[in-house]
Amino acid sequence: MAAPYNAVAIVGSLRKESHTLKVAKALAAAAPESLKVDVVTLHDISFFNQDLEGAPPADWLAFREKIRKSNGVLFVTPEYNRSIPGVLKNAIDVASRPYGKSSFLDKPIGIVSNSPGVLGGVNAAMNLKQLLPGITGPIMGQPEIYLVGVGDAFDGEGNCIKEPLQKVLKQYIDAYAAWVEKHNK
Ligand code: FNR
């Protein structure tokens, strides 16, 4: 049976061996039966330019449609210079327009930051919590998750090899699935 709800996990890194991508895939793999998580990277999203709003590029339209059709959006991001990477901000700008018609409207939101360092990308997560409220649905407040030391958390096949991390990912995605269900009734 198909999962009743589907979420889009937006990955904030373009890097081939991105830890963020691995975290997103691990979250998708750990999702309960009620939630299908579609992991999306941002390689194909062209730069936002307000001049193009009259005839938006196909990649913007496809991205907006994907978000609009989802039951929720999960942002999975690294931290770049104490903020979110530019590619992620660009994608958010793209999907937030046209004005008043954000594709994120009413979507229940999850935020997962990570870093190979000790701060877990908390600043990136906080930045998201600052910029999203005007254009999205409710942002899940608890549990919070800022993943530290992800540099050696996955094997060559992308399997999480740190048991405590895997446990935290499972707890988070279960809570997020419940959040999606609650806000799609
Ligand atoms: C970083 N990195 C980083 N890490 C962090 O914890 N706080 C930060 O402010 C920054 N700033 C930063 C800026 C830039 C331009 C780069 C390229 C990197 C390190 C970052 O966490 C590390 O490169 C991760 O591996 C990036 O995530 P992915 O690509 O592995 O998902």
Side-chain angles (χ1 to χ4, degrees), residues 86-106:
V87 287
L88 179 55
K89 180 61 164 60
N90 182 61
I92 291 170
D93 292 340
V94 165
S96 73
R97 290 278 157 160
Y99 178 71
K101 294 188 175 161
S102 165
S103 302
F104 299 116
L105 275 184
D106 299 329

Side-chain angles (χ1 to χ4, degrees), residues 13-15 17-21 78-83 114-117 119-121:
S13 170
L14 302 182
R15 205 164 69 84
E17 289 301 321
S18 161
H19 307 309
T20 308
L21 178 59
E79 179 174 295
Y80 275 9
N81 297 315
R82 301 294 182 259
S83 185
N114 77 97
S115 172
L119 296 179

Side-chain angles (χ1 to χ4, degrees), residues 47-57 60:
F47 277 138
F48 182 75
N49 175 349
Q50 216 173 341
D51 287 342
L52 305 182
E53 275 294 34
W60 293 7

Side-chain angles (χ1 to χ4, degrees), residues 15-133:
R15 205 164 69 84
K16 219 182 319 161
E17 289 301 321
S18 161
H19 307 309
T20 308
L21 178 59
K22 291 173 188 170
V23 168
K25 286 182 174 172
L27 284 163
E33 274 185 13
S34 63
L35 187 71
K36 180 182 176 297
V37 179
D38 187 7
V39 175
V40 169
T41 56
L42 302 172
H43 298 81
D44 299 330
I45 312 293
S46 50
F47 277 138
F48 182 75
N49 175 349
Q50 216 173 341
D51 287 342
L52 305 182
E53 275 294 34
D59 63 271
W60 293 7
L61 295 174
F63 184 61
R64 288 171 179 171
E65 181 68 5
K66 189 178 263 295
I67 303 294
R68 217 173 289 126
K69 278 186 171 161
S70 75
N71 298 114
V73 178
L74 188 55
F75 291 93
V76 189
T77 187
E79 179 174 295
Y80 275 9
N81 297 315
R82 301 294 182 259
S83 185
I84 57 172
V87 287
L88 179 55
K89 180 61 164 60
N90 182 61
I92 291 170
D93 292 340
V94 165
S96 73
R97 290 278 157 160
Y99 178 71
K101 294 188 175 161
S102 165
S103 302
F104 299 116
L105 275 184
D106 299 329
K107 305 296 175 195
I109 302 296
I111 295 174
V112 176
S113 67
N114 77 97
S115 172
V118 295
L119 296 179
V122 63
N123 296 289
M126 290 305 164
N127 282 167
L128 284 172
K129 287 181 186 177
Q130 212 170 21
L131 68 94
L132 294 178

Side-chain angles (χ1 to χ4, degrees), residues 136-157:
T136 69
I139 300 172
M140 187 168 78
Q142 289 291 333
E144 293 179 287
I145 188 170
Y146 315 108
L147 305 173
V148 303
V150 295
D152 56 358
F154 297 92
D155 68 15
E157 268 84 58

